[in-house]
Amino acid sequence: MSSPPPAPSFLSELSRFPVLAAPMAGGASNPRLAAAVSEAGGLGFLAAGYKTTDGMYQEIKQIRGATGRPFGVNLFMPQPRTSDPSAVEVYRQQLAGEAGWYETPLGDPESGRDDGYEAKLAILRDDPVPVVSFTFGCPAPDVLASFARAGTYTVVTVTTPEEAQAAAWAGADALCVQGVEAGGHQGTHRDDPANDGTGIGLLALLGLVRATVDLPLIATGGLMRGDQIAAVLAAGASAAQLGTAFLVCPESGANPLHKQAMTNPLFTRTELTRAFTGRPARGLANRFLREHGPYAPAAYPEVHHLTSGLRKAAAASGDPQGMALWAGQGHRLARELPAADLVATLVAEWREAAAAAGADTAGAVADQEGTR
């Protein structure tokens, strides 16, 4: 059986297989997971979001100590102040019962807005890594140009054709095309509550973005199996990025309760919610999401800071009903495999699906020619 061709574009220089582990902020995408995926022939990512600058730097050193293979680092773009302080205060009052239940104070919504963005940029330019990706917006052209000079490839997460065009104009090397099926935060460039519920599915979005820009595309959103990887590559992507699939690996730093919830029959569906962070994010529908999601304001990162202590307290008390259980729509397909074994399994499934599709196409052409 012949293998499908390698991923085109610069991605084939960085990874043997077109399989990327998504950067999952909050602890899941730790150095151990990133290094394991890269060592197995994929491309691992470190999530720098919610980390200090020194914390990011130390974890980069850990990855370099564990693998000589390329890897990536993901940054959150600073967010403009668009929230209504009075709406945040109303939500704080609504969460008072949660603070009493978990015996922990609510956080300060003004704890910080830029996630140390400029300092992290400086570190990554002074000591370059192979890839830097961006979420929640697109960097200025001079930022992307500075990484190009440093020899770092840049990837911008997009959720619409318009965002894709803006990232292409700014000079991004590639786009991470995120469908609405994706777990965790939607990487929209502008958080507009009027657009809630209007996200585009991955395959449709890939087609729309391909018709808009001529850049390598990384597909992400609900992907859990190798045949899905084959499908997005056939749809024009250069690689597939999987998050939830890697979240349950033993190398992942996700809380054990979070990992168990992926296939726990108590959690039957996912929803997009602002309940935990004030920005649309897909997670398993639990008590906290159901009770507070309808009332959460569009206020990121204020709500994130407000609920941070609650989420930690819920995890410490063994209560998944109060945690942010980020998950893509394919979460029930999660497999608790070591990262290297999962990469190998995904690649085998991808090759099998791609070979079968090639055989089916050839047969269909032969049948059609026979009728002429």
Side-chain angles (χ1 to χ4, degrees), residues 27-180:
S29 294
N30 59 10
R32 188 180 172 209
L33 178 61
V37 172
S38 291
E39 275 291 292
L43 184 66
F45 264 88
L46 177 69
Y50 307 139
K51 292 183 172 72
T52 65
T53 303
D54 184 64
M56 178 194 75
Y57 180 63
Q58 295 302 323
E59 292 196 350
I60 289 173
K61 288 172 61 177
Q62 291 176 41
I63 296 175
R64 286 174 169 153
T67 181
R69 298 287 304 160
F71 62 94
V73 175
N74 176 258
L75 300 180
F76 285 170
M77 293 293 298
Q79 298 301 290
R81 184 178 291 278
T82 59
S83 59
D84 179 357
S86 63
V88 175
E89 178 56 31
V90 169
Y91 196 54
R92 168 189 281 279
Q93 295 173 15
Q94 181 180 329
L95 295 177
E98 298 284 351
W101 177 258
Y102 290 115
E103 299 181 338
T104 191
L106 295 171
D108 177 7
E110 298 300 328
S111 296
R113 304 197 61 80
D114 69 356
D115 201 49
Y117 177 72
E118 292 293 341
K120 290 173 182 176
L121 288 181
I123 290 290
L124 293 169
R125 283 189 290 235
D126 290 344
D127 191 4
V129 299
V131 186
V132 173
S133 67
F134 300 87
T135 301
F136 299 154
C138 181
D142 65 311
V143 172
L144 295 175
S146 70
F147 279 112
R149 291 191 296 270
T152 295
Y153 292 109
T154 53
V155 180
V156 174
T157 303
V158 301
T159 62
T160 67
E162 293 76 17
E163 292 175 353
Q165 184 67 79
W169 283 339
D173 291 309
L175 305 177
C176 181
V177 179
Q178 185 194 45
V180 73

Side-chain angles (χ1 to χ4, degrees), residues 198-227:
T198 64
I200 305 172
L202 179 57
L203 287 177
L205 184 58
L206 278 173
L208 291 168
V209 172
R210 279 188 68 205
T212 304
V213 301
D214 184 20
L215 285 176
L217 307 180
I218 299 165
T220 192
L223 305 177
M224 301 291 292
R225 293 285 192 266
D227 57 352

